[in-house]
Amino acid sequence: MKNTDERLFILGIISAHQAHGYQITEALNAPWMPIKIDKAKVYRILNALEKDGYLNSVTEKKENYPPRQVYSITEIGKTEFIKTLKERLTTRAATHLPDAVSLNFLGMLPPAEQVDLLKQRLQKAIEKLKELDSIDLETRKNHLGIDYLFSQLEFEINWLKQLTKTKE
């Protein structure tokens, strides 16, 4: 299946509750979202999922707002969601980590510049962790993906602190 995580994410949101495209794109703007999908692509995926029979939509008109499509999951969609969820949970998909690419070439810069750049990166990671730290523990406990991102950031911060010490 193409775009497995993107489809899984959208099916998961709609499995939890009916949603329209704008709600999904707004959810993607949250700082803890593990996946980023631009607005146009969200709508393409929604259309494809509906065409595949995984979603139904109805046009909703409220007061002075423009009409919008509200999506709900079908029984076939629920089955597909659970099947895909199980597959993804039991695999360790290769990920593209652009940061890992730049870190491989860090040694090509002068040592003082390396430390300065790593400290800048460390500061950004700390800021991001503070942003995620505002999420209450109950939410983190109920959304393991958020807790996973939190743990990755904690690891990166500790790793960067250690790395900058060894390079100074």
Side-chain angles (χ1 to χ4, degrees):
M1 177 188 302
K2 289 172 63 176
N3 305 320
T4 301
D5 284 337
E6 294 169 349
R7 291 169 60 107
L8 178 65
F9 179 81
I10 291 172
L11 284 172
I13 287 176
I14 298 172
S15 289
H17 53 81
Q18 293 181 343
H20 51 82
Y22 180 77
Q23 288 171 309
I24 295 168
T25 58
E26 282 298 299
L28 288 165
N29 288 325
W32 57 84
M33 276 301 138
I35 191 168
K36 300 295 180 202
I37 312 170
D38 67 60
K39 186 176 180 177
K41 192 168 186 180
V42 167
Y43 286 101
R44 284 194 306 271
I45 294 169
L46 285 168
N47 290 334
L49 290 169
E50 187 171 23
K51 183 180 173 203
D52 291 343
Y54 300 145
L55 300 177
N56 286 326
S57 70
V58 295
T59 303
E60 177 183 87
K61 177 77 172 120
K62 283 190 177 179
E63 300 171 11
N64 295 329
Y65 295 101
R68 60 186 178 191
Q69 295 301 114
V70 178
Y71 295 89
S72 59
I73 195 159
T74 64
E75 286 304 315
I76 295 168
K78 288 178 188 175
T79 301
E80 180 65 18
F81 170 70
I82 295 298
K83 178 181 150 249
T84 305
L85 176 62
K86 288 178 179 180
E87 287 171 2
R88 286 295 290 124
L89 284 171
T90 59
T91 60
R92 178 66 174 102
T95 54
H96 172 69
L97 300 172
D99 289 345
V101 173
S102 62
L103 289 168
N104 282 321
F105 300 107
L106 183 66
M108 297 175 84
L109 298 171
E113 194 172 352
Q114 291 177 32
V115 172
D116 181 54
L117 293 168
L118 290 172
K119 284 182 177 180
Q120 288 179 48
R121 179 188 177 114
L122 173 60
Q123 187 57 45
K124 288 177 182 168
I126 290 169
E127 290 167 10
K128 186 68 170 178
L129 185 65
K130 284 180 184 173
E131 192 177 340
L132 290 180
D133 203 25
S134 67
I135 302 167
D136 64 273
L137 290 175
E138 187 67 23
T139 301
R140 281 183 52 195
K141 192 168 79 174
N142 291 324
H143 297 278
L144 291 177
I146 296 170
D147 196 50
Y148 178 75
L149 293 174
F150 193 90
S151 296
Q152 281 185 315
L153 268 172
E154 286 180 323
F155 171 82
E156 182 175 359
I157 288 166
N158 291 328
W159 182 77
L160 286 167
K161 285 178 179 178
Q162 193 64 33
L163 185 59
T164 53
K165 280 182 191 174
T166 62
K167 292 198 170 283
E168 286 184 309

